[in-house]
Amino acid sequence: MDTKELVSAIEAELQKQVSRLDAPRTKPFHEMLTYHMGWTGEGAGPEATGKRIRPLLVLLCASACGASWQLALPAAAAIELVHNFSLVHDDIQDNSSKRRGRDTVWTKWGAPMAINVGDALFVMSSQAIIDLKESYSSDVVMKAAEILHNTCLDLTRGQFLDMSYEERNDLGVEDYWHMISGKTSALIAACCQIGALLGGADEDQQEVYRSYGHYLGLAFQVQDDILGIWGDENVTGKSVASDLVEGKNSLPVLAGLEKKGKFAERWSQGPIQPEEVGEVSRLLASEGGLLAAQEAAKQMTDLALMNLREADPQGEAGEALFELTNRLLGRKQ
Amino acid sequence: MDTKELVSAIEAELQKQVSRLDAPRTKPFHEMLTYHMGWTGEGAGPEATGKRIRPLLVLLCASACGASWQLALPAAAAIELVHNFSLVHDDIQDNSSKRRGRDTVWTKWGAPMAINVGDALFVMSSQAIIDLKESYSSDVVMKAAEILHNTCLDLTRGQFLDMSYEERNDLGVEDYWHMISGKTSALIAACCQIGALLGGADEDQQEVYRSYGHYLGLAFQVQDDILGIWGDENVTGKSVASDLVEGKNSLPVLAGLEKKGKFAERWSQGPIQPEEVGEVSRLLASEGGLLAAQEAAKQMTDLALMNLREADPQGEAGEALFELTNRLLGRKQ
């Protein structure tokens, strides 16, 4: 299955949703949204839009359950709008000045405007999900909306945990799973569950798709954590130093801290300096932080694939789901 | 009709909705929301909660159209949650440290947490509206959700205009109506339209209720603008100086600027100082700013009452609607 056609259709649907603000008086407001979405302004283009993995999952799951993917487009857009709302607000919260190599919305227009841009993207996600009514019964639309909203509350829970963890030094691996279940995994789980719902799957099968997405999200995040410390800067496009220097409570770090060895001792003494990164990352690896994360990534990947096999996705979309999963989790076919 | 019973029921429904975050790991997060809602923390109590006018309008309109008001409670809560989401984000955007005499959420917990608190209140409004499904068909719930979401986009439009107007000095009275239609009036219009929908009114009647709310919102805002310059500090609880000193683009100010007289000259020379407030407010009144606003308030009040009469609300709730309207607009019975 050529996913390029799907990605083009997703982009067109997103532009349609965001065009709700394309009116004379709100033109500059509309431009803030199209800039963030990667369509306009400096650096606009495919590199700025991101890969649209989440909406793609919605369409593939719907198609793999037997529906035409076109019908699920409003839901795909809704999920991507939620993702982008959270990015805009995250960037303010984290004081991040760059995203995908471009200035963030708050850097360009200030935090007050950026809060409002995030709010508008958030509203549009709710409007997009209701657009499903053109092809689905009100009961199905409401179920999809319910899943979407519950997921958004999970996102705010994950965001709360993430922010409150910054000030704590007593965290363990268990806290990590709670945080990323909300922050990363909930939205990917929702993609797959909503896709299955719109594909006509029954409730049990929807749950299997949801589990697939849940573990896919966890595996992806753990992998990202590993790359954030030991990754190749040329591949990931961000400084490998950043996660240690930023003091991020990633899985390798929390696993390392639980060992209460030399890494934990150094971590407790204050921020890691850029020039120490090589030494501290080697220390963390030697005390088992890397291995623990690799094992967790493998477990989550296995669970994702197990659930995907159980879901038994059909046709070309089913094949594309396996391909995408393997690609995201860095596995050979 | 004793509206106290309704207000108590609204409070209970709001607490139920917000309790979605009442779990061990998110307890401090839940407390941020209950603090903002006026239920916990320093200064908690009836003075901190606000008057819950908006949800009351939802219940009264539903009841005046023939439904039991209890059925509309989730929608009433949804509207009040939207209102409170916008207050939390507004306070960050306006850099306001106090609301109803208490520290704002961002003052207590910082802007990053406050953004997330607003987001959570926003999500909960969408969840609350879907709770209508216990008493209404999916078609009605979807219609209510659609009105709510469209209104929220109007709020972001109004907020954008409000913030972008701060930097402009070429505004006229027409710009004012656009801004407050989004910022103030849209949500009050939605209260009445959703109330009528849930009361079983047909589409035409829903529109009449909507118009009533629209003009009620406009009248209320214009009145607030007048009080913001010439009001009695002891009655309004905020410094009468504030609107002029803050440089707020209120209706009297914009009407005064259009005269291009001495007020406009002073306004263009920079911020009004607290010690000038008496003189500048007298200047604005002498150049017609007060009269123009009083006339506009009267027009909007007349339009609100005309639409309310056309809506012909029934029973005790109908009487309560007239009473509430007269009270809000400062008119004798």
mmCIF file of all heavy atoms in Angstrom, chain A residues 293-332:
data_model
loop_
_atom_site.group_PDB
_atom_site.id
_atom_site.type_symbol
_atom_site.label_atom_id
_atom_site.label_comp_id
_atom_site.label_asym_id
_atom_site.label_seq_id
_atom_site.Cartn_x
_atom_site.Cartn_y
_atom_site.Cartn_z
ATOM 1 N N ALA A 293 16.909 -0.362 29.620
ATOM 2 C CA ALA A 293 16.048 0.301 28.654
ATOM 3 C C ALA A 293 15.896 -0.541 27.393
ATOM 4 O O ALA A 293 14.796 -0.649 26.825
ATOM 5 C CB ALA A 293 16.603 1.684 28.318
ATOM 6 N N GLN A 294 16.997 -1.156 26.970
ATOM 7 C CA GLN A 294 16.918 -2.010 25.772
ATOM 8 C C GLN A 294 15.976 -3.185 26.008
ATOM 9 O O GLN A 294 15.202 -3.564 25.132
ATOM 10 C CB GLN A 294 18.319 -2.513 25.393
ATOM 11 C CG GLN A 294 19.159 -1.440 24.700
ATOM 12 C CD GLN A 294 20.617 -1.848 24.532
ATOM 13 O OE1 GLN A 294 21.147 -2.642 25.327
ATOM 14 N NE2 GLN A 294 21.277 -1.290 23.527
ATOM 15 N N GLU A 295 16.057 -3.764 27.200
ATOM 16 C CA GLU A 295 15.167 -4.886 27.515
ATOM 17 C C GLU A 295 13.709 -4.434 27.547
ATOM 18 O O GLU A 295 12.820 -5.135 27.054
ATOM 19 C CB GLU A 295 15.556 -5.522 28.855
ATOM 20 C CG GLU A 295 16.704 -6.497 28.696
ATOM 21 C CD GLU A 295 17.213 -7.030 30.032
ATOM 22 O OE1 GLU A 295 16.641 -6.666 31.084
ATOM 23 O OE2 GLU A 295 18.193 -7.792 30.005
ATOM 24 N N ALA A 296 13.458 -3.245 28.137
ATOM 25 C CA ALA A 296 12.088 -2.719 28.181
ATOM 26 C C ALA A 296 11.576 -2.443 26.770
ATOM 27 O O ALA A 296 10.429 -2.767 26.430
ATOM 28 C CB ALA A 296 12.048 -1.434 29.019
ATOM 29 N N ALA A 297 12.449 -1.873 25.919
ATOM 30 C CA ALA A 297 12.042 -1.594 24.537
ATOM 31 C C ALA A 297 11.684 -2.890 23.829
ATOM 32 O O ALA A 297 10.691 -2.961 23.089
ATOM 33 C CB ALA A 297 13.166 -0.874 23.791
ATOM 34 N N LYS A 298 12.479 -3.927 24.071
ATOM 35 C CA LYS A 298 12.203 -5.211 23.419
ATOM 36 C C LYS A 298 10.864 -5.785 23.898
ATOM 37 O O LYS A 298 10.048 -6.238 23.102
ATOM 38 C CB LYS A 298 13.338 -6.195 23.702
ATOM 39 C CG LYS A 298 13.151 -7.492 22.906
ATOM 40 C CD LYS A 298 14.216 -8.529 23.151
ATOM 41 C CE LYS A 298 13.920 -9.791 22.334
ATOM 42 N NZ LYS A 298 12.521 -10.260 22.428
ATOM 43 N N GLN A 299 10.653 -5.728 25.205
ATOM 44 C CA GLN A 299 9.383 -6.239 25.755
ATOM 45 C C GLN A 299 8.179 -5.508 25.173
ATOM 46 O O GLN A 299 7.189 -6.122 24.788
ATOM 47 C CB GLN A 299 9.343 -6.049 27.273
ATOM 48 C CG GLN A 299 10.042 -7.140 28.058
ATOM 49 C CD GLN A 299 10.108 -6.781 29.549
ATOM 50 O OE1 GLN A 299 9.290 -6.000 30.042
ATOM 51 N NE2 GLN A 299 11.072 -7.354 30.238
ATOM 52 N N MET A 300 8.255 -4.178 25.135
ATOM 53 C CA MET A 300 7.119 -3.391 24.632
ATOM 54 C C MET A 300 6.904 -3.645 23.144
ATOM 55 O O MET A 300 5.777 -3.729 22.668
ATOM 56 C CB MET A 300 7.345 -1.896 24.880
ATOM 57 C CG MET A 300 7.447 -1.534 26.359
ATOM 58 S SD MET A 300 6.034 -2.127 27.330
ATOM 59 C CE MET A 300 6.855 -2.665 28.831
ATOM 60 N N THR A 301 8.010 -3.788 22.409
ATOM 61 C CA THR A 301 7.913 -4.095 20.981
ATOM 62 C C THR A 301 7.245 -5.451 20.779
ATOM 63 O O THR A 301 6.353 -5.605 19.928
ATOM 64 C CB THR A 301 9.331 -4.102 20.355
ATOM 65 O OG1 THR A 301 9.905 -2.816 20.536
ATOM 66 C CG2 THR A 301 9.264 -4.422 18.875
ATOM 67 N N ASP A 302 7.662 -6.433 21.564
ATOM 68 C CA ASP A 302 7.064 -7.771 21.448
ATOM 69 C C ASP A 302 5.567 -7.716 21.743
ATOM 70 O O ASP A 302 4.762 -8.341 21.043
ATOM 71 C CB ASP A 302 7.736 -8.745 22.428
ATOM 72 C CG ASP A 302 9.152 -9.106 21.988
ATOM 73 O OD1 ASP A 302 9.513 -8.783 20.828
ATOM 74 O OD2 ASP A 302 9.899 -9.686 22.795
ATOM 75 N N LEU A 303 5.187 -6.954 22.789
ATOM 76 C CA LEU A 303 3.765 -6.850 23.141
ATOM 77 C C LEU A 303 2.980 -6.135 22.049
ATOM 78 O O LEU A 303 1.844 -6.515 21.732
ATOM 79 C CB LEU A 303 3.603 -6.115 24.476
ATOM 80 C CG LEU A 303 3.976 -6.942 25.716
ATOM 81 C CD1 LEU A 303 4.141 -6.053 26.944
ATOM 82 C CD2 LEU A 303 2.900 -8.012 25.980
ATOM 83 N N ALA A 304 3.581 -5.108 21.445
ATOM 84 C CA ALA A 304 2.908 -4.401 20.352
ATOM 85 C C ALA A 304 2.661 -5.362 19.195
ATOM 86 O O ALA A 304 1.529 -5.461 18.675
ATOM 87 C CB ALA A 304 3.745 -3.208 19.895
ATOM 88 N N LEU A 305 3.689 -6.106 18.817
ATOM 89 C CA LEU A 305 3.545 -7.018 17.677
ATOM 90 C C LEU A 305 2.596 -8.163 17.996
ATOM 91 O O LEU A 305 1.830 -8.604 17.133
ATOM 92 C CB LEU A 305 4.919 -7.550 17.259
ATOM 93 C CG LEU A 305 5.762 -6.501 16.512
ATOM 94 C CD1 LEU A 305 7.209 -6.973 16.374
ATOM 95 C CD2 LEU A 305 5.161 -6.220 15.127
ATOM 96 N N MET A 306 2.627 -8.632 19.245
ATOM 97 C CA MET A 306 1.711 -9.706 19.641
ATOM 98 C C MET A 306 0.260 -9.240 19.490
ATOM 99 O O MET A 306 -0.586 -9.948 18.932
ATOM 100 C CB MET A 306 1.986 -10.089 21.091
ATOM 101 C CG MET A 306 1.266 -11.322 21.554
ATOM 102 S SD MET A 306 1.441 -11.503 23.356
ATOM 103 C CE MET A 306 0.140 -10.412 23.925
ATOM 104 N N ASN A 307 -0.010 -8.013 19.963
ATOM 105 C CA ASN A 307 -1.371 -7.489 19.843
ATOM 106 C C ASN A 307 -1.752 -7.228 18.382
ATOM 107 O O ASN A 307 -2.896 -7.448 17.995
ATOM 108 C CB ASN A 307 -1.533 -6.215 20.677
ATOM 109 C CG ASN A 307 -1.823 -6.528 22.132
ATOM 110 O OD1 ASN A 307 -2.938 -6.899 22.483
ATOM 111 N ND2 ASN A 307 -0.806 -6.435 22.969
ATOM 112 N N LEU A 308 -0.783 -6.778 17.604
ATOM 113 C CA LEU A 308 -1.088 -6.521 16.190
ATOM 114 C C LEU A 308 -1.417 -7.838 15.482
ATOM 115 O O LEU A 308 -2.360 -7.905 14.691
ATOM 116 C CB LEU A 308 0.089 -5.816 15.502
ATOM 117 C CG LEU A 308 -0.172 -5.382 14.054
ATOM 118 C CD1 LEU A 308 -1.389 -4.473 13.950
ATOM 119 C CD2 LEU A 308 1.060 -4.685 13.461
ATOM 120 N N ARG A 309 -0.664 -8.894 15.813
ATOM 121 C CA ARG A 309 -0.974 -10.201 15.213
ATOM 122 C C ARG A 309 -2.362 -10.666 15.647
ATOM 123 O O ARG A 309 -3.133 -11.172 14.839
ATOM 124 C CB ARG A 309 0.091 -11.232 15.614
ATOM 125 C CG ARG A 309 1.295 -11.209 14.693
ATOM 126 C CD ARG A 309 2.321 -12.295 15.047
ATOM 127 N NE ARG A 309 3.666 -11.722 15.040
ATOM 128 C CZ ARG A 309 4.400 -11.479 16.128
ATOM 129 N NH1 ARG A 309 3.943 -11.799 17.341
ATOM 130 N NH2 ARG A 309 5.594 -10.935 16.022
ATOM 131 N N GLU A 310 -2.673 -10.456 16.926
ATOM 132 C CA GLU A 310 -3.999 -10.872 17.408
ATOM 133 C C GLU A 310 -5.103 -10.069 16.721
ATOM 134 O O GLU A 310 -6.175 -10.598 16.415
ATOM 135 C CB GLU A 310 -4.084 -10.687 18.928
ATOM 136 C CG GLU A 310 -5.334 -11.345 19.515
ATOM 137 C CD GLU A 310 -5.508 -11.038 21.002
ATOM 138 O OE1 GLU A 310 -4.488 -10.782 21.683
ATOM 139 O OE2 GLU A 310 -6.665 -11.041 21.469
ATOM 140 N N ALA A 311 -4.828 -8.777 16.472
ATOM 141 C CA ALA A 311 -5.826 -7.939 15.790
ATOM 142 C C ALA A 311 -6.066 -8.455 14.379
ATOM 143 O O ALA A 311 -7.154 -8.284 13.817
ATOM 144 C CB ALA A 311 -5.364 -6.485 15.758
ATOM 145 N N ASP A 312 -5.030 -9.072 13.811
ATOM 146 C CA ASP A 312 -5.134 -9.687 12.481
ATOM 147 C C ASP A 312 -5.644 -8.694 11.427
ATOM 148 O O ASP A 312 -6.670 -8.924 10.784
ATOM 149 C CB ASP A 312 -6.066 -10.907 12.561
ATOM 150 C CG ASP A 312 -5.957 -11.781 11.305
ATOM 151 O OD1 ASP A 312 -4.954 -11.654 10.572
ATOM 152 O OD2 ASP A 312 -6.903 -12.553 11.049
ATOM 153 N N PRO A 313 -4.931 -7.595 11.236
ATOM 154 C CA PRO A 313 -5.362 -6.573 10.271
ATOM 155 C C PRO A 313 -5.331 -7.121 8.845
ATOM 156 O O PRO A 313 -4.403 -7.843 8.485
ATOM 157 C CB PRO A 313 -4.333 -5.457 10.467
ATOM 158 C CG PRO A 313 -3.120 -6.139 10.981
ATOM 159 C CD PRO A 313 -3.613 -7.280 11.822
ATOM 160 N N GLN A 314 -6.340 -6.759 8.074
ATOM 161 C CA GLN A 314 -6.539 -7.362 6.756
ATOM 162 C C GLN A 314 -5.975 -6.510 5.619
ATOM 163 O O GLN A 314 -5.824 -5.293 5.755
ATOM 164 C CB GLN A 314 -8.037 -7.574 6.510
ATOM 165 C CG GLN A 314 -8.691 -8.523 7.514
ATOM 166 C CD GLN A 314 -8.137 -9.935 7.410
ATOM 167 O OE1 GLN A 314 -8.239 -10.563 6.360
ATOM 168 N NE2 GLN A 314 -7.525 -10.419 8.483
ATOM 169 N N GLY A 315 -5.714 -7.169 4.519
ATOM 170 C CA GLY A 315 -5.416 -6.511 3.245
ATOM 171 C C GLY A 315 -4.117 -5.727 3.227
ATOM 172 O O GLY A 315 -3.229 -5.917 4.066
ATOM 173 N N GLU A 316 -4.038 -4.833 2.258
ATOM 174 C CA GLU A 316 -2.824 -4.028 2.087
ATOM 175 C C GLU A 316 -2.581 -3.137 3.293
ATOM 176 O O GLU A 316 -1.441 -2.887 3.677
ATOM 177 C CB GLU A 316 -2.956 -3.134 0.847
ATOM 178 C CG GLU A 316 -2.818 -3.876 -0.464
ATOM 179 C CD GLU A 316 -2.822 -2.902 -1.639
ATOM 180 O OE1 GLU A 316 -2.698 -1.684 -1.407
ATOM 181 O OE2 GLU A 316 -2.966 -3.372 -2.777
ATOM 182 N N ALA A 317 -3.665 -2.625 3.893
ATOM 183 C CA ALA A 317 -3.512 -1.772 5.074
ATOM 184 C C ALA A 317 -2.908 -2.574 6.218
ATOM 185 O O ALA A 317 -2.102 -2.051 7.002
ATOM 186 C CB ALA A 317 -4.850 -1.173 5.482
ATOM 187 N N GLY A 318 -3.304 -3.838 6.334
ATOM 188 C CA GLY A 318 -2.754 -4.706 7.362
ATOM 189 C C GLY A 318 -1.254 -4.877 7.172
ATOM 190 O O GLY A 318 -0.474 -4.746 8.137
ATOM 191 N N GLU A 319 -0.850 -5.129 5.939
ATOM 192 C CA GLU A 319 0.596 -5.240 5.654
ATOM 193 C C GLU A 319 1.306 -3.937 5.987
ATOM 194 O O GLU A 319 2.392 -3.932 6.563
ATOM 195 C CB GLU A 319 0.822 -5.568 4.171
ATOM 196 C CG GLU A 319 0.508 -7.017 3.823
ATOM 197 C CD GLU A 319 0.449 -7.230 2.310
ATOM 198 O OE1 GLU A 319 1.178 -6.515 1.580
ATOM 199 O OE2 GLU A 319 -0.339 -8.087 1.864
ATOM 200 N N ALA A 320 0.677 -2.839 5.612
ATOM 201 C CA ALA A 320 1.288 -1.528 5.864
ATOM 202 C C ALA A 320 1.441 -1.275 7.363
ATOM 203 O O ALA A 320 2.412 -0.647 7.807
ATOM 204 C CB ALA A 320 0.454 -0.424 5.230
ATOM 205 N N LEU A 321 0.500 -1.776 8.173
ATOM 206 C CA LEU A 321 0.602 -1.611 9.626
ATOM 207 C C LEU A 321 1.814 -2.354 10.179
ATOM 208 O O LEU A 321 2.539 -1.827 11.029
ATOM 209 C CB LEU A 321 -0.670 -2.129 10.319
ATOM 210 C CG LEU A 321 -1.811 -1.135 10.505
ATOM 211 C CD1 LEU A 321 -3.016 -1.837 11.136
ATOM 212 C CD2 LEU A 321 -1.384 0.044 11.382
ATOM 213 N N PHE A 322 2.013 -3.603 9.694
ATOM 214 C CA PHE A 322 3.198 -4.343 10.137
ATOM 215 C C PHE A 322 4.486 -3.629 9.703
ATOM 216 O O PHE A 322 5.429 -3.485 10.484
ATOM 217 C CB PHE A 322 3.174 -5.786 9.594
ATOM 218 C CG PHE A 322 2.334 -6.709 10.430
ATOM 219 C CD1 PHE A 322 1.068 -7.112 10.007
ATOM 220 C CD2 PHE A 322 2.809 -7.184 11.649
ATOM 221 C CE1 PHE A 322 0.288 -7.955 10.787
ATOM 222 C CE2 PHE A 322 2.032 -8.035 12.434
ATOM 223 C CZ PHE A 322 0.766 -8.417 11.997
ATOM 224 N N GLU A 323 4.493 -3.163 8.457
ATOM 225 C CA GLU A 323 5.678 -2.449 7.948
ATOM 226 C C GLU A 323 5.976 -1.212 8.796
ATOM 227 O O GLU A 323 7.109 -0.971 9.202
ATOM 228 C CB GLU A 323 5.453 -1.971 6.506
ATOM 229 C CG GLU A 323 5.819 -2.992 5.459
ATOM 230 C CD GLU A 323 5.282 -2.575 4.089
ATOM 231 O OE1 GLU A 323 5.294 -1.359 3.791
ATOM 232 O OE2 GLU A 323 4.815 -3.461 3.353
ATOM 233 N N LEU A 324 4.914 -0.431 9.044
ATOM 234 C CA LEU A 324 5.078 0.812 9.799
ATOM 235 C C LEU A 324 5.589 0.519 11.209
ATOM 236 O O LEU A 324 6.495 1.183 11.721
ATOM 237 C CB LEU A 324 3.735 1.557 9.861
ATOM 238 C CG LEU A 324 3.719 2.892 10.600
ATOM 239 C CD1 LEU A 324 4.557 3.930 9.861
ATOM 240 C CD2 LEU A 324 2.285 3.418 10.743
ATOM 241 N N THR A 325 5.003 -0.512 11.836
ATOM 242 C CA THR A 325 5.408 -0.881 13.193
ATOM 243 C C THR A 325 6.879 -1.267 13.221
ATOM 244 O O THR A 325 7.644 -0.794 14.070
ATOM 245 C CB THR A 325 4.548 -2.058 13.701
ATOM 246 O OG1 THR A 325 3.170 -1.723 13.521
ATOM 247 C CG2 THR A 325 4.819 -2.352 15.157
ATOM 248 N N ASN A 326 7.271 -2.111 12.279
ATOM 249 C CA ASN A 326 8.664 -2.545 12.233
ATOM 250 C C ASN A 326 9.598 -1.371 11.973
ATOM 251 O O ASN A 326 10.675 -1.278 12.567
ATOM 252 C CB ASN A 326 8.845 -3.613 11.151
ATOM 253 C CG ASN A 326 8.321 -4.969 11.625
ATOM 254 O OD1 ASN A 326 8.569 -5.375 12.758
ATOM 255 N ND2 ASN A 326 7.572 -5.651 10.775
ATOM 256 N N ARG A 327 9.168 -0.466 11.106
ATOM 257 C CA ARG A 327 10.002 0.688 10.787
ATOM 258 C C ARG A 327 10.145 1.604 12.001
ATOM 259 O O ARG A 327 11.243 2.021 12.365
ATOM 260 C CB ARG A 327 9.395 1.441 9.603
ATOM 261 C CG ARG A 327 10.219 2.622 9.112
ATOM 262 C CD ARG A 327 9.944 2.934 7.649
ATOM 263 N NE ARG A 327 8.533 3.222 7.377
ATOM 264 C CZ ARG A 327 7.945 4.403 7.593
ATOM 265 N NH1 ARG A 327 8.645 5.399 8.090
ATOM 266 N NH2 ARG A 327 6.677 4.590 7.310
ATOM 267 N N LEU A 328 9.001 1.871 12.676
ATOM 268 C CA LEU A 328 9.036 2.762 13.841
ATOM 269 C C LEU A 328 9.901 2.192 14.951
ATOM 270 O O LEU A 328 10.568 2.917 15.680
ATOM 271 C CB LEU A 328 7.619 2.981 14.391
ATOM 272 C CG LEU A 328 6.722 3.921 13.601
ATOM 273 C CD1 LEU A 328 5.325 3.922 14.211
ATOM 274 C CD2 LEU A 328 7.297 5.330 13.599
ATOM 275 N N LEU A 329 9.860 0.860 15.083
ATOM 276 C CA LEU A 329 10.586 0.254 16.188
ATOM 277 C C LEU A 329 11.963 -0.221 15.756
ATOM 278 O O LEU A 329 12.647 -0.933 16.493
ATOM 279 C CB LEU A 329 9.748 -0.876 16.795
ATOM 280 C CG LEU A 329 8.376 -0.395 17.297
ATOM 281 C CD1 LEU A 329 7.597 -1.538 17.910
ATOM 282 C CD2 LEU A 329 8.523 0.745 18.307
ATOM 283 N N GLY A 330 12.356 0.195 14.526
ATOM 284 C CA GLY A 330 13.737 -0.030 14.091
ATOM 285 C C GLY A 330 14.089 -1.488 13.915
ATOM 286 O O GLY A 330 15.216 -1.904 14.166
ATOM 287 N N ARG A 331 13.110 -2.284 13.520
ATOM 288 C CA ARG A 331 13.373 -3.713 13.341
ATOM 289 C C ARG A 331 13.452 -4.038 11.866
ATOM 290 O O ARG A 331 12.795 -3.433 11.041
ATOM 291 C CB ARG A 331 12.264 -4.536 13.995
ATOM 292 C CG ARG A 331 12.281 -4.417 15.505
ATOM 293 C CD ARG A 331 10.977 -4.884 16.077
ATOM 294 N NE ARG A 331 10.809 -6.315 15.814
ATOM 295 C CZ ARG A 331 10.986 -7.246 16.743
ATOM 296 N NH1 ARG A 331 11.352 -6.910 17.949
ATOM 297 N NH2 ARG A 331 10.802 -8.516 16.450
ATOM 298 N N LYS A 332 14.262 -5.052 11.555
ATOM 299 C CA LYS A 332 14.315 -5.537 10.175
ATOM 300 C C LYS A 332 12.998 -6.259 9.877
ATOM 301 O O LYS A 332 12.364 -6.806 10.774
ATOM 302 C CB LYS A 332 15.484 -6.529 10.002
ATOM 303 C CG LYS A 332 16.841 -5.939 10.356
ATOM 304 C CD LYS A 332 17.493 -5.270 9.142
ATOM 305 C CE LYS A 332 18.846 -4.688 9.499
ATOM 306 N NZ LYS A 332 18.911 -3.241 9.283
#
